[in-house]
Amino acid sequence: MALEFNDVVVPDTTTMEVVDQANPGEPTGCFISGHTIGSDGWKKAQRRVFGAPKPTRVMMNKKQNHIEIPPVEAKDELRALAYALTDIRGLTIGGKPFEYSEDAAVDLFAMSGFREIVQQWRDHLEADRDFTREQSSDAASGPDVSLG
């Protein structure tokens, strides 16, 4: 059995259908697409909001040891999540179709009524990341894995 290349390549983007909490299992027709955690698009969105990664400072002396990690503001995290999006389809606001743009996505993610959907998106990204980690560790530790 040969390992298919597409089975080990982590996708750069992902799409999820929004779940209506009042009617679980019913299709909503609203889809959110964006960059996966760790992809180049994700890193670009993170840099846009937080700047280049800064080294963590570790302070050690005889009296006190502590690590300085700059706090992440919730609004900055929401902006970074919104910048990592590539599309939102099937959403209407006030009877009008939502037209995706980065600025519109940032505004949408900042709306308190949209928080449940933002959490669904976070959960989807985490599940994707956990799934690809599990797949890559299974492939790496499996006894008969070959690329031929």
Side-chain angles (χ1 to χ4, degrees):
M1 178 176 158
L3 180 65
E4 175 64 35
F5 180 71
N6 289 333
D7 291 340
V8 294
V9 174
V10 177
D12 197 38
T13 59
T14 184
T15 299
M16 70 159 228
E17 183 171 12
V18 174
V19 174
D20 180 357
Q21 296 299 324
N23 300 303
E26 293 293 319
T28 62
C30 178
F31 295 89
I32 299 177
S33 301
H35 296 284
T36 56
I37 294 175
S39 68
D40 288 342
W42 175 267
K43 291 174 187 173
K44 181 179 176 184
Q46 296 293 306
R47 278 192 305 273
R48 231 174 125 182
V49 174
F50 302 112
K54 297 174 183 83
T56 303
R57 292 180 50 185
V58 178
M59 307 292 283
M60 299 178 82
N61 61 40
K62 293 180 181 178
K63 294 182 181 180
Q64 180 178 353
N65 297 332
H66 68 276
I67 298 174
E68 292 181 12
I69 300 174
V72 174
E73 298 287 332
K75 65 182 173 96
D76 290 336
E77 181 191 2
L78 289 173
R79 279 186 32 232
L81 279 170
Y83 284 144
L85 295 179
T86 57
D87 195 18
I88 298 175
R89 298 182 315 278
L91 177 66
T92 58
I93 299 176
K96 296 181 182 180
F98 176 78
E99 293 186 32
Y100 171 80
S101 72
E102 282 187 340
D103 291 337
V106 168
D107 292 343
L108 187 65
F109 270 39
M111 295 171 68
S112 61
F114 207 70
R115 294 289 162 85
E116 180 183 309
I117 295 171
V118 171
Q119 188 58 50
Q120 287 182 34
W121 179 243
R122 277 188 187 118
D123 293 345
H124 175 77
L125 290 173
E126 289 294 327
D128 261 10
R129 181 174 65 178
D130 292 345
F131 177 76
T132 55
R133 263 193 208 148
E134 182 179 305
Q135 294 299 309
S136 63
S137 67
D138 286 350
S141 63
D144 295 323
V145 176
S146 68
L147 295 174

